[in-house]
Amino acid sequence: GALHLLAARAESPPTPMERDLAIIGRGLAIGATAVCAAVFGLGVVRGLGMRYGLEVAVSLGVAAIPEGLPAIMTITLAIGVQAMARRQAIIRRLPAVETLGSVTVICSDKTGTLTRNEMTVQTLATAAYNVDVSGIGYDPHGGFSLLGNPVVLTDLPDVMELARAGMLCNDADLAHVEGIWEINGDPTEGALVTLGRKAGLDFRFEHEMWPRTDVIPFESQHRFMATLHHDHAGHGFMYIKGAPERVLEMCAFQRSLGEDHPLNSRSWHDRIEQMAGQGQRVLAVAFASTHHEHRELRFGDVEQGLTMLGLFGIVDPPRTEAIEAVRQCQQAGIRVKMITGDHLATARTIGLQMHIGDGKQAMSGQVLETLSDEELKRVVREIDIFARTSPEHKLRLVQALQAGGEVVAMTGDGVNDAPALKRADVGVAMGVKGTEVAKEAAEMVLADDNFASIAHAVEEGRRVYDNIQKSILFILPTNVAEAGVIVAAILLGTMLPVTPVQILWVNMITAVTLALALTVEPPESDVMRRRPRNPGEAILSRFLLWRIGFVSVLAAAGTFGLFLWERDQGASIETARTIAVNMLVVFEAFYVLNARSFYGSVLSRKGLFGNPYVLLTIGMVLGLQGLFTYTEVMQTLFHTTGIDGLAWLRIVGIGGVIFLLVEFEKYVFRMMLRQRSPDLKT
């Protein structure tokens, strides 16, 4: 009930792009309506007639609204989804593709995401001994050594009892499948079964000799698992394994050389710190005897008076690719925070290996609980490692980061992680070990549970966002130029250079061809060297507004100027309009090459030929324009006429000049950026 309430309250926020598009949509609708009304009124006032004014208003409305933009954005996001799926990141909600490109903080689980999830017990600690264990992974071949000398565990009864306890208080199993040792169950428990096999214990024999009667499953709230067993003589006993701090609280004694002695809590804590400081995940195991009639296990049975058997030190090596992915994220201005249920010292050490945090600053869930929301908001900016955390802590961390203006991606796999996954800007569930509840709450599922897949998804998200911006940067100048041509015509009192149906033709063929080609643009070279986009920054930045305005003026001036020149040379209105329409389309064919990069020059082999879809769509558009200009059917539908080669030469010449002017403008911007940041490569 409490979990359901948390998940219900944790609403998914709108993505930055959803907010921006809503603003752009309202702005375009209001602006277009106002301009259309003003132009219509101006036409009437100037005595041009209601019909002419209405025709101008309709033309302006068609020109001002980028009909293809919503479809282009949806297609771009869908292409991003496919690309991410190929890199093991499955998107469940389309807007999450864009949000990934804006992520400023990634909160990641440790086990299995940053690490390999290949647990191996390396240390066994009892009150009297510290035993080292050899072997890797779940292969049950390995040995034991004491002070560097080989040892057989049957000679160390306390250590053997610890290994047996780890095998019995356990729900995992080990199987040899096609030459590979595989576990069925939790990887940590699989490591304990593997250890038992190394010690010579047989899983089935042990469970038949000491069958389980009842169990208290592990839960993050109580941080331990307990099992009740009875041997065939009727003796009852309980094994408890879990977080060492929690298990020690439940113990009053410790087993040493076959006898129970009062618990030396300080000594155990020192050994826990030592093992955790080596990057080992530490588990404690305790024991208690009970009577034959005891058949139901309750929390009160294990909360006090237990006997401490010892500690398991378990290693889980970091993923090599995850270390590189963390570096890439940090280079991209994204902070990576590690959230784990492990001991604080273990978390610090693993964090240092992963280059997360400074190896010193870390916070436990116990301390986190004492902080107010304002204090946590301040602290979470400085600390990157959180240990001994619960799902409730994850939710508070997400909320604190978002309150500080961060765009947060949060990983999770359990049922209790659902509220944090839902509240995060991008909830990331584990596809292998994740529960269905976690997957339902998340926007993205990792097919391989690998942190590197998150970094790949962030890169893809940035590419998608860039391509959406490039599409906007390409589509809007055409619409603004078309509107500018119409406004210029009404102000000068000339006939319209293009009719509404001709404008619709231009928008239709360029949106589904040239703009579509930009949706598959490869990522720019610096895509993972930039800082994340400011979540509060509009998708139409000041730079984009400048570029749109600059290009719109060039296109409008070139089109309207050529239309007027053709009319002055005696061309018919149909011929002049045909030339004007072709001028707009040829301008777009040149400009789509400019739009392939925001600042970088495209005057190179890569710039001109790097995206074959651009060249293909340019060819398609020019072919369609040939039909538009020279076929009888199209001439009848659109009131066009054939034009000669000199007209085409003028059209291509003006389009080429606009192309070079935009490239020069980009060169000026590159020089300005280099002056601000001398090391910047553009």
Side-chain angles (χ1 to χ4, degrees):
L3 175 63
H4 177 76
L5 187 61
L6 278 173
R9 289 177 177 172
E11 297 180 359
S12 300
T15 70
M17 190 175 71
E18 286 176 326
R19 294 192 294 264
D20 288 346
L21 290 181
I23 294 170
I24 292 172
R26 286 195 299 270
L28 284 173
I30 294 170
T33 302
V35 172
C36 286
V39 169
F40 175 76
L42 181 62
V44 173
V45 168
R46 298 188 64 172
L48 299 176
M50 293 281 289
R51 180 175 178 179
Y52 179 82
L54 187 60
E55 182 182 356
V56 170
V58 170
S59 299
L60 193 57
V62 172
I65 303 299
E67 301 89 348
L69 189 56
I72 290 297
M73 289 186 171
T74 302
I75 291 169
T76 306
L77 292 172
I79 290 171
V81 167
Q82 291 182 327
M84 289 181 185
R86 289 193 292 270
R87 304 184 80 172
Q88 306 300 319
I90 300 167
I91 299 298
R92 298 185 64 254
R93 297 182 179 89
L94 203 57
V97 178
E98 173 267 332
T99 311
L100 277 163
S102 305
V103 162
T104 59
V105 176
I106 300 174
C107 298
S108 176
D109 291 322
K110 177 183 75 69
T111 304
T113 306
L114 292 168
T115 60
R116 296 179 188 171
N117 208 21
E118 296 176 358
M119 307 288 185
T120 305
V121 177
Q122 282 196 341
T123 304
L124 294 170
T126 65
Y129 303 109
N130 270 353
V131 177
D132 296 323
V133 186
S134 63
I136 299 174
Y138 301 115
D139 186 339
H141 297 92
F144 303 89
S145 60
L146 181 63
L147 300 176
N149 299 311
V151 65
V152 179
L153 288 198
T154 51
D155 296 335
L156 304 173
D158 289 358
V159 183
M160 180 62 88
E161 179 64 13
L162 177 62
R164 178 176 286 109
M167 181 173 275
L168 290 174
C169 188
N170 200 311
D171 287 329
D173 195 5
L174 192 64
H176 197 227
V177 181
E178 297 180 357
I180 299 174
W181 289 95
E182 297 179 350
I183 59 160
N184 298 313
D186 179 76
T188 303
E189 294 194 328
L192 302 184
V193 174
T194 302
L195 172 76
R197 292 285 296 270
K198 290 178 182 177
L201 300 174
D202 182 86
F203 183 84
R204 291 185 178 178
F205 176 80
E206 296 297 325
H207 280 267
E208 288 173 0
M209 287 294 294
W210 293 276
R212 181 187 297 181
T213 310
D214 199 9
V215 62
I216 297 176
F218 178 86
E219 292 288 348
S220 58
Q221 291 87 341
H222 51 258
R223 297 191 295 160
F224 68 84
M225 172 185 179
T227 55
L228 174 63
H229 302 262
H230 289 83
D231 64 18
H232 296 290
H235 303 105
F237 55 93
M238 299 172 287
Y239 285 126
I240 299 88
K241 84 169 187 296
E245 313 95 281
R246 180 71 180 100
V247 174
L248 281 171
E249 291 173 358
M250 302 155 71
C251 291
F253 307 97
Q254 64 187 37
R255 181 70 53 84
S256 179
L257 302 178
E259 297 181 356
D260 290 355
H261 301 274
L263 183 72
N264 185 345
S265 184
R266 170 62 68 87
S267 173
W268 286 110
H269 280 293
D270 288 345
R271 295 171 80 177
I272 291 166
E273 288 289 335
Q274 180 184 11
M275 293 166 70
Q278 296 171 358
Q280 295 182 353
R281 186 179 191 182
V282 185
L283 284 180
V285 175
F287 166 89
S289 58
T290 186
H291 52 83
H292 174 68
E293 292 77 16
H294 188 185
R295 297 287 167 172
E296 187 175 341
L297 198 55
R298 296 184 174 89
F299 283 97
D301 299 329
V302 297
E303 285 182 343
Q304 58 184 358
L306 306 182
T307 297
M308 181 74 170
L309 292 182
L311 304 170
F312 295 106
I314 304 171
V315 295
D316 182 16
R319 293 179 185 262
T320 304
E321 65 273 24
I323 295 174
E324 174 60 21
V326 169
R327 186 194 66 79
Q328 289 177 352
C329 288
Q330 291 169 341
Q331 189 179 43
I334 301 169
R335 291 192 69 175
V336 179
K337 297 183 183 292
M338 186 173 76
I339 301 175
T340 177
D342 284 347
H343 190 277
L344 199 63
T346 304
R348 282 198 195 98
T349 303
I350 297 297
L352 203 58
Q353 294 174 8
M354 301 294 307
H355 306 293
I356 300 173
D358 57 6
K360 298 177 182 178
Q361 290 196 90
M363 178 176 287
S364 69
Q366 187 177 6
V367 175
L368 189 153
E369 287 178 352
T370 65
L371 300 179
S372 67
D373 290 344
E374 278 300 316
E375 289 172 328
L376 183 59
K377 178 182 172 182
R378 184 172 60 255
V379 166
V380 78
R381 297 174 186 166
E382 303 168 359
I383 295 178
D384 291 333
I385 295 175
F386 297 88
R388 292 290 188 233
T389 55
S390 69
E392 291 77 14
H393 297 151
K394 282 188 172 183
L395 180 59
R396 286 197 67 197
L397 288 169
V398 170
Q399 292 170 331
L401 287 164
Q402 289 175 333
E406 307 287 357
V407 178
V408 184
M410 170 67 78
T411 69
D413 55 18
V415 172
N416 294 339
D417 289 329
L421 292 174
K422 187 175 180 182
R423 185 66 184 88
D425 297 279
V426 181
V428 182
M430 302 297 110
V432 177
K433 65 178 180 177
T435 62
E436 289 304 315
V437 174
K439 294 174 187 177
E440 284 296 319
E443 282 79 19
M444 182 172 79
V445 178
L446 299 184
D448 58 358
D449 291 8
N450 192 339
F451 181 86
S453 297
I454 303 177
H456 295 326
V458 168
E459 179 183 5
E460 189 62 32
R462 290 189 173 194
R463 183 185 76 89
V464 165
Y465 192 83
D466 277 358
N467 289 352
I468 287 174
Q469 281 194 312
K470 288 174 183 177
S471 296
I472 294 172
L473 195 61
F474 171 74
I475 291 173
L476 289 188
T478 304
N479 292 92
V480 175
E482 291 167 351
V485 166
I486 294 166
V487 171
I490 191 70
L491 290 175
L492 296 178
T494 67
M495 298 188 71
L496 292 181
V498 284
T499 65
V501 70
Q502 289 172 344
I503 292 172
L504 200 56
W505 164 265
V506 173
N507 291 350
M508 183 179 68
I509 67 163
T510 55
V512 299
T513 53
L514 299 177
L516 197 60
L518 292 174
T519 65
V520 292
E521 271 293 309
E524 298 210 17
S525 59
D526 67 340
V527 70
M528 289 298 280
R529 295 200 302 271
R530 312 177 203 149
R531 295 194 61 79
R533 183 179 73 95
N534 185 342
E537 179 184 318
I539 193 170
L540 286 178
S541 63
R542 287 184 297 177
F543 163 72
L544 290 186
L545 289 172
W546 153 257
R547 174 69 60 77
I548 290 168
F550 174 69
V551 175
S552 298
V553 168
L554 293 178
T559 302
F560 190 62
L562 184 57
F563 171 79
L564 293 179
W565 188 87
E566 295 290 346
R567 290 291 285 164
D568 285 344
Q569 300 304 307
S572 67
I573 186 62
E574 289 81 8
T575 300
R577 281 176 171 169
T578 303
I579 291 173
V581 171
N582 279 293
M583 180 68 252
L584 283 172
V585 172
V586 168
F587 148 71
E588 291 196 58
F590 276 108
Y591 181 57
V592 73
L593 294 170
N594 296 125
R596 291 196 60 220
S597 177
F598 296 113
Y599 302 106
S601 173
V602 297
L603 295 174
S604 64
R605 177 182 292 273
K606 182 179 178 181
L608 295 175
F609 305 105
N611 184 348
Y613 296 102
V614 168
L615 299 179
L616 178 63
T617 53
I618 288 174
M620 289 173 58
V621 165
L622 294 179
L624 288 171
Q625 279 307 112
L627 296 175
F628 173 87
T629 306
Y630 296 108
T631 62
E632 187 176 342
V633 173
M634 301 295 271
Q635 289 175 349
T636 303
L637 288 173
F638 293 98
H639 304 289
T640 59
T641 185
I643 57 177
D644 59 25
L646 289 176
W648 279 111
L649 192 62
R650 291 191 290 272
I651 290 169
V652 172
I654 294 173
V657 170
I658 294 174
F659 170 80
L660 293 175
L661 286 173
V662 175
E663 286 301 300
F664 178 73
E665 180 255 6
K666 288 199 284 186
Y667 170 78
V668 172
F669 264 94
R670 289 199 300 275
M671 294 301 101
M672 292 169 61
L673 288 172
R674 283 175 181 168
Q675 288 180 354
R676 294 178 188 173
S677 303
D679 297 331
L680 184 68
K681 294 181 181 180
T682 53

